[in-house]
Amino acid sequence: MTTSPYATRRARLAAEMTRLGGADSVAIIPTATVHPRNRDSDFLYRHDSYFYYLTGFTEPDAWLVLTGDGRSTLFCQPKDLEREIWDGIRLGPEAAPAALGVYEAHSVNELSERLPKLLENKATVWYPFATHPGLEGRIDGWLQKVRTRVRYGALAPETQRDACAILDEMRLIKDAHEQDIMRRAASISAGAHIRAMQRSATMLRAGQDVREYHLDAELLHEFRQHGSQYPAYGSIVAAGANACILHYRADAAPIRDGELVLIDAGCELDGYASDITRTFPANGKFSGPQRALYDLVLASQEAAIAATRPGARFNDPHEATVRVLTQGMLDLGLLDKNKHGTVDDAIAGRHHFIHYMHRTSHWLGMDVHDCGSYVEPTEIGQVSERIDPLSGEVIKDRPSRILRPGMVLTIEPGIYVRPGEGVPEEFWNIGIRIEDDAIVTETGCELITRGVPVDADEIEALMEAP
Ligand code: GLY
Ligand code: MN
Ligand code: MN
């Protein structure tokens, strides 16, 4: 029998707990709770990512308890015919060991009775800090129960440690099982972007009233059609000037002939996110100014992609992007050469910030902004200080993370031009972002989202009438 990826991860967590805090350790990992929406309706349930990473189990009301010797105990909803008629089939504690490979399983109703016993005679208790409101209080309650037994010789844990410190590092490097799911999620999302682009041009050519929600509907259709459970985050479908609002959502604005549309949307598949942005002309043909800015953003993304390889720093793609974008802003008159000087001067003064105000990358995985430190752990003590040229604040910098094979990050440069004095009018209200998802490989990076093209000519070609 092959070991499931979940069992392998549990074994690694137990080994790390033992290495860092001794073998007398126990980890408590709850899944997410159900959130009521109104009356007896709940928000759509989404499991906790840490819990799922260790179990592959998606039911609510479940807990994993893992001891340093590698023994795992699952607490889950008991079988209950009436509740299962209303809410769905439950795995139940009897079937759980065979289905999930855990050592033993009990009803979640026995949690409070059994947890103090699992904590007894352990030195360290690990749990995810600041992730589940009320968890600390429940652990305190169980520890108090252990303390009532110290007169009988029981030992109570003296140390509490953050399980995220171990799990974030594990989740940062995606194993083959995870990479495979992420490639499939990326491919579904790429198809959804193509579908939305084509629908925009087709509807405009037919003289129809196109709204942002029409394109959102195309995305959702394609996600679900291919088995995605839901979008990985609220889709952005932004027509024209709305693209300059970074956290805009798919709303009801009209999509007009001659404008650009920015779509930032990705599906979640089997617990893993994808995250793609494309910007395209609503009618299928870029205007001159739109194309000039588009090609600049694309060139900055190419520079970032070239900088994404093992041994490079997480910040390197961002710095490569900023250099290309800032030079382009100076060349196109979006920044004034007489006022801002050379590209180095403009970057040092952070003048590009007016048109490019976000970072180029974030980790991607189970969560769209995935866990994992952005600071290189081996160099955490190397702190340098600098004064931010815009705010005047003192910023403490630590060396940025060294990229390693298996890390997954987005590469998403953009440009957002608001009307303003000295800003060439032909560029006003143009917002462009191009976002792809990259797996760091042994030699460079693999872009898993290029099922939807980025080249302007290729986008125009796929939006042409059939
Ligand atoms: N869609 C969220 C992001 O691009 O970071
Ligand atoms: Mn992103
Ligand atoms: Mn995005």
Side-chain angles (χ1 to χ4, degrees):
M1 196 178 98
T2 54
T3 315
S4 80
Y6 310 105
T8 305
R9 294 171 197 156
R10 290 195 295 270
R12 270 193 67 197
L13 172 59
E16 277 298 282
M17 282 156 51
T18 301
R19 186 177 72 81
L20 295 168
D24 292 339
S25 56
V26 56
I28 302 173
I29 315 285
T31 194
T33 46
V34 174
H35 293 284
R37 187 166 187 219
N38 47 48
R39 298 183 185 270
D40 59 350
S41 295
D42 298 324
F43 280 104
L44 186 64
Y45 180 71
R46 164 59 158 77
H47 55 260
D48 174 80
S49 295
Y50 293 112
F51 177 85
Y52 182 77
Y53 182 71
L54 295 166
T55 61
F57 189 50
T58 55
E59 284 185 25
D61 255 336
W63 298 64
L64 175 71
V65 180
L66 182 74
T67 46
D69 59 5
R71 182 176 289 209
S72 49
T73 305
L74 185 88
F75 292 89
C76 61
Q77 301 176 111
K79 296 295 283 179
D80 177 331
L81 183 60
E82 193 194 339
R83 285 318 323 156
E84 290 181 63
I85 286 169
W86 285 92
D87 298 332
I89 304 293
R90 298 172 171 185
L91 177 64
E94 267 184 32
L100 304 175
V102 290
Y103 186 79
E104 60 184 84
H106 303 284
S107 161
V108 70
N109 299 334
E110 296 173 25
L111 187 71
S112 291
E113 176 200 326
R114 288 183 178 271
L115 238 295
K117 292 198 186 91
L118 286 162
L119 291 172
E120 205 171 285
N121 297 320
K122 299 289 186 296
T124 307
V125 52
W126 297 81
Y127 60 91
F129 284 10
T131 49
H132 301 262
L135 176 60
E136 287 81 358
R138 294 199 71 178
I139 290 177
D140 276 355
W142 296 324
L143 288 173
Q144 276 169 15
K145 282 202 177 156
V146 181
R147 290 222 182 105
T148 62
R149 295 185 38 79
V150 293
R151 273 179 291 145
Y152 306 101
L155 298 178
E158 290 179 352
T159 308
Q160 299 186 20
R161 294 192 62 169
D162 187 2
C164 300
I166 300 175
L167 290 169
D168 288 355
E169 283 301 296
M170 287 172 61
R171 281 175 55 186
L172 183 54
I173 307 286
K174 275 70 181 174
D175 60 33
H177 174 257
E178 297 182 287
Q179 290 183 25
D180 174 56
I181 302 172
M182 292 189 77
R183 282 190 194 94
R184 286 190 281 124
S187 155
I188 295 169
S189 298
H193 278 261
I194 290 178
R195 189 179 168 108
M197 286 176 187
Q198 291 180 328
R199 175 88 169 157
S200 172
T202 308
M203 284 183 79
L204 278 178
R205 275 196 291 269
Q208 292 168 348
D209 177 28
V210 194
R211 301 283 168 155
E212 292 165 339
Y213 55 72
H214 287 125
L215 305 193
D216 192 28
E218 299 299 317
L219 299 166
L220 287 169
H221 177 96
E222 194 76 3
F223 292 172
R224 290 296 280 152
Q225 191 68 23
H226 291 88
S228 148
Q229 287 77 11
Y230 20 68
Y233 51 90
S235 302
I236 296 171
V237 180
N242 292 337
C244 295
I245 302 167
L246 296 179
H247 288 166
Y248 188 78
R249 294 291 290 270
D251 204 346
I255 290 175
R256 296 195 182 88
D257 208 332
E259 284 184 342
L260 292 178
V261 182
L262 182 154
I263 296 185
D264 183 345
C267 71
E268 179 170 317
L269 180 72
D270 299 344
Y272 287 83
S274 52
D275 185 6
I276 302 182
T277 308
R278 290 291 183 266
T279 310
F280 57 90
N283 63 11
K285 283 271 169 242
F286 285 94
S287 72
Q290 289 168 351
R291 175 78 188 239
L293 290 191
Y294 188 89
D295 285 346
L296 172 60
V297 176
L298 187 57
S300 80
Q301 199 207 30
E302 277 160 10
I305 292 164
T308 304
R309 53 190 153 70
R313 300 274 174 175
F314 176 83
N315 276 351
D316 291 347
H318 179 64
E319 283 167 15
T321 285
V322 164
R323 178 156 293 274
V324 173
L325 281 179
T326 308
Q327 183 65 60
M329 289 176 202
L330 289 164
D331 295 343
L332 293 169
L334 286 164
L335 291 178
D336 184 348
K337 282 183 176 156
N338 297 323
K339 207 158 117 195
H340 300 124
T342 65
V343 67
D344 289 316
D345 299 334
I347 293 171
R350 219 151 57 83
H351 297 297
H352 60 278
F353 208 69
I354 188 167
H355 304 305
Y356 182 51
M357 61 298 280
H358 60 76
R359 305 281 304 177
T360 304
S361 302
H362 54 80
W363 304 131
L364 182 73
M366 292 186 159
D367 303 339
V368 64
H369 293 174
D370 208 31
C371 59
S373 172
Y374 289 92
V375 172
E376 177 56 31
T378 56
E379 299 171 344
I380 206 156
Q382 297 177 28
V383 186
S384 56
E385 287 191 355
R386 65 184 165 89
I387 308 279
D388 180 75
L390 297 186
S391 67
E393 277 176 34
V394 177
I395 310 280
K396 284 191 194 308
D397 280 328
R398 292 186 167 81
S400 134
R401 190 89 200 210
I402 296 172
L403 297 178
R404 288 173 49 202
M407 291 178 172
V408 182
L409 64 156
T410 63
I411 305 178
E412 49 177 307
I415 200 161
Y416 312 91
V417 185
R418 291 176 173 277
E421 213 184 303
V423 179
E425 209 168 328
E426 58 183 346
F427 298 127
W428 284 11
N429 293 318
I430 294 181
I432 294 170
R433 180 164 63 258
I434 304 171
E435 175 173 29
D436 283 287
D437 303 343
I439 301 177
V440 181
T441 63
E442 295 293 334
T443 52
C445 70
E446 174 192 347
L447 298 177
I448 58 175
T449 37
R450 285 295 175 88
V452 51
V454 283
D455 178 80
D457 290 334
E458 286 178 45
I459 288 176
E460 288 186 347
L462 78 82
M463 292 180 74
E464 264 175 24

